[in-house]
Amino acid sequence: RRVREYVADSPFEYQKNCLLYLPKDLKKCRRGSQEEAEMIAGHIHSLICSTYGHTLVLFTSYHLMGNVYQMLRDEIPFPMIEVWRHSTEEITRFKQMDNAVLFAAGSCWEGVDFPGDMVSSLIIVKLPFAVPDPISEAQKKEYANLKDYIQAVIVPDMQKKLRQGFGRALRTETDTCVVSILDERAGEGGRYHEEVMCALPSCKMAKDIKDVQHFIRNRKGVEYYL
């Protein structure tokens, strides 16, 4: 029997409707430090105000999420919701608000639908590298060295989850969204910049917060700000 194959183009106009923001002024901080949490909180605050709420913030660490949430809970002029272990009630509450901010981790990286202006700003705090476990430790022994293992297993796994998280941004053909990655390893010259760019569709790029503000102002109507 013959097998016919067909590859369809994506219906989403990423170049027109999506802006990928990789801040130029990200500092390299010690993982888990107070300095790291404060830096991330500062960037998130600027982005939320620039897009007038309508924000989903995806974390890879519940600990970091909790710290940043506490820093911003009294500083943001929009409703803020924190989701622990995929709470359906909290996600539903977020969807019922017009310009809220949702802090999430875990399973919220995939399978959650936020169409329209509900999420016009998607913030990915850290690249979603998997946490080592006994299976990955055993798998590592199959490779000659650590570098080969990272390139063959760790990076492709990160790219897959990054694409899943990115998919929360545009859910319909008319959606418009800013996607920000606050991991210095993803920025130009960063260790995993090329891998990030290969994983995501081609979008307009930005390094300055003013470009984010300009993008939102030019693609959202008056009702978006009400």
Side-chain angles (χ1 to χ4, degrees), residues 131-188:
V131 177
D133 58 25
I135 295 177
S136 62
E137 289 299 315
Q139 196 175 22
K140 187 190 303 183
K141 298 177 182 178
E142 300 175 7
Y143 293 85
N145 54 64
L146 181 60
K147 182 179 179 180
D148 289 348
Y149 169 68
I150 290 174
Q151 291 301 318
V153 178
I154 300 299
V155 169
D157 180 72
M158 179 275 290
Q159 291 174 312
K160 178 182 177 181
K161 190 168 183 180
L162 180 63
R163 284 192 290 268
Q164 291 170 335
F166 182 91
R168 302 314 98 208
L170 301 186
R171 304 304 296 170
T172 73
E173 294 177 28
T174 58
D175 286 357
T176 56
C177 188
V178 175
V179 178
S180 308
I181 303 178
L182 306 183
D183 192 325
E184 81 282 349
R185 297 172 296 179
E188 188 174 341

Side-chain angles (χ1 to χ4, degrees), residues 115-131:
D117 286 336
M118 197 178 304
V119 170
S120 294
S121 173
L122 170 67
I123 302 174
I124 295 174
V125 175
K126 293 292 179 183
L127 294 178
F129 286 101
V131 177

Side-chain angles (χ1 to χ4, degrees), residues 81 83 86-96:
I81 300 172
V83 175
H86 199 149
S87 171
T88 304
E89 293 180 2
E90 297 301 318
I91 292 174
T92 300
R93 188 156 65 93
F94 170 75
K95 289 183 175 184
Q96 294 170 346

Side-chain angles (χ1 to χ4, degrees), residues 13-14 16-20 166 170 177 179 203-204 215:
E13 297 183 67
Y14 291 105
K16 175 183 177 183
N17 295 332
C18 186
L19 179 71
L20 180 59
F166 182 91
L170 301 186
C177 188
V179 178
C203 307
K204 287 185 177 180
F215 179 87

Side-chain angles (χ1 to χ4, degrees), residues 58 62 85-87 91 104-112 161 168:
L58 289 176
Y62 282 104
R85 310 300 175 186
H86 199 149
S87 171
I91 292 174
S107 56
C108 285
W109 279 78
E110 56 183 296
V112 184
K161 190 168 183 180
R168 302 314 98 208

